[in-house]
Amino acid sequence: MSRLDIHQIPVLNDNYVYLAHCPETGATAVVDPAVARPALDAARAKGWEISHILNTHHHGDHTGGNLEIKAATGCTIVGPRADAGRIPGIDVRVGDGDTYALGNAEAAVYDVPGHTRGHIAYWFRGSDALFCGDTLFAMGCGRLFEGTPAQMVASLDKFKKLPPETRVFCAHEYTQSNGRFALSVEPDNRALVQRMKDVDAARARNVPTVPSTIGIELKTNPFLRADSSDLQRTIGMSGRDYVTVFAETRRRKDSF
Ligand code: ZN
Ligand code: FE
């Protein structure tokens, strides 16, 4: 099994597009191409030939480059079976329990509805890499545009079970604003306080804070921590059930 080389491309205001390259076969995927040109240019600079697009969900800032990249490269577009009608140029439909081979690297596919109803994630176990789109962010999670809090909790629970060293390649640089909110609901979380110092220092130098890891998210991300007594106390919901606490935390973030 091959370990992917992963190249991060910042585009638009705060999106990240990724190139994932299998060094043994040359297979190269663009993950969530918001726009085409930066991905095509980055691939050329690397000497990589784009063979695939992996989409996590239908939003334009994740699929906007699909058709132009496909026209330029003849690549295969892989996306959510549950939302195939909204993925431009889709060729291969995948969902929960499927595996998908990118060269000699293999992804387990998860259905992770909540942000959109057909959102999926790709976990490349042999590369310690999770491509989760807009489901999990560094210290945050996606807005619930098309799903319920219970659905999002079930989706995030799938990520909580991954190895802590798994790198979280989310699709936006939202970390600093997410962290400010996280501190407002868990002000005494020491791991969170320290992480925000590191994040502020990185952003002051315009350095990406992504990828994160599952391990650090478990310690600092309030949307994985609805069972935290500190968080529950701060928002006045001590002892309430997990989904209710999550929903209130998400509601507060929406207007933070
Ligand atoms: Zn989105
Ligand atoms: Fe997005």
Side-chain angles (χ1 to χ4, degrees):
M1 186 177 289
S2 176
R3 187 172 172 92
L4 295 170
D5 289 337
I6 298 172
H7 178 67
Q8 181 178 44
I9 312 166
V11 302
L12 306 179
N13 276 340
D14 51 31
N15 277 79
Y16 288 125
V17 173
Y18 299 99
L19 298 180
H21 174 77
C22 168
E24 293 172 5
T25 64
T28 301
V30 189
V31 181
D32 278 354
V35 285
R37 182 45 53 192
L40 293 168
D41 289 347
R44 184 180 312 112
K46 287 270 182 192
W48 297 350
E49 279 187 35
I50 294 169
S51 54
H52 294 77
I53 288 171
L54 303 181
N55 288 130
T56 63
H57 68 296
H58 75 89
H59 284 156
D61 64 320
H62 300 255
T63 60
N66 273 23
L67 296 181
E68 191 180 335
I69 293 171
K70 188 175 184 177
T73 66
C75 69
T76 298
I77 299 181
V78 183
R81 179 181 297 122
D83 218 350
R86 295 194 289 181
I87 303 294
I90 191 168
D91 297 300
V92 179
R93 300 155 191 233
V94 293
D96 224 29
D98 288 341
T99 57
Y100 190 79
L102 177 65
N104 290 341
E106 189 173 87
V109 179
Y110 294 100
D111 284 338
V112 286
H115 177 66
T116 65
R117 63 177 178 266
H119 204 300
I120 59 172
Y122 302 86
W123 176 44
F124 287 90
R125 173 200 292 263
S127 303
D128 295 323
L130 174 70
F131 295 101
C132 56
D134 289 355
T135 297
L136 178 66
F137 294 123
M139 294 187 275
C141 75
R143 279 182 189 259
L144 303 182
F145 287 123
E146 301 177 5
T148 65
Q151 280 178 320
M152 191 57 136
V153 164
S155 295
L156 293 171
D157 274 349
K158 297 177 180 179
F159 298 158
K160 289 171 99 167
K161 297 186 183 106
L162 298 180
E165 62 273 20
T166 304
R167 294 173 294 165
V168 178
F169 291 95
C170 58
H172 291 273
E173 177 64 58
Y174 290 160
T175 312
Q176 204 167 26
S177 58
N178 284 342
R180 288 193 190 109
F181 173 76
L183 277 173
S184 80
V185 294
E186 264 197 313
D188 299 326
N189 179 336
R190 287 169 61 185
L192 176 56
V193 170
Q194 181 55 51
R195 185 178 185 187
M196 267 308 275
K197 285 185 186 149
D198 298 341
V199 164
D200 287 341
R203 294 312 293 154
R205 292 180 291 127
N206 209 24
V207 169
T209 64
V210 175
S212 171
T213 65
I214 291 293
I216 191 162
E217 293 310 317
L218 288 170
K219 291 186 182 134
T220 58
N221 188 324
F223 299 100
L224 301 180
R225 297 175 54 78
D227 51 357
S228 153
S229 54
D230 186 17
L231 183 151
Q232 291 182 358
R233 189 176 346 99
T234 306
I235 67 171
M237 301 195 92
S238 290
R240 302 291 295 276
D241 71 275
Y242 195 98
V243 171
T244 303
V245 175
F246 172 88
E248 173 62 13
T249 308
R250 185 58 256 182
R251 195 191 64 73
R252 288 180 178 230
K253 176 66 168 63
D254 287 343
S255 57
F256 182 71

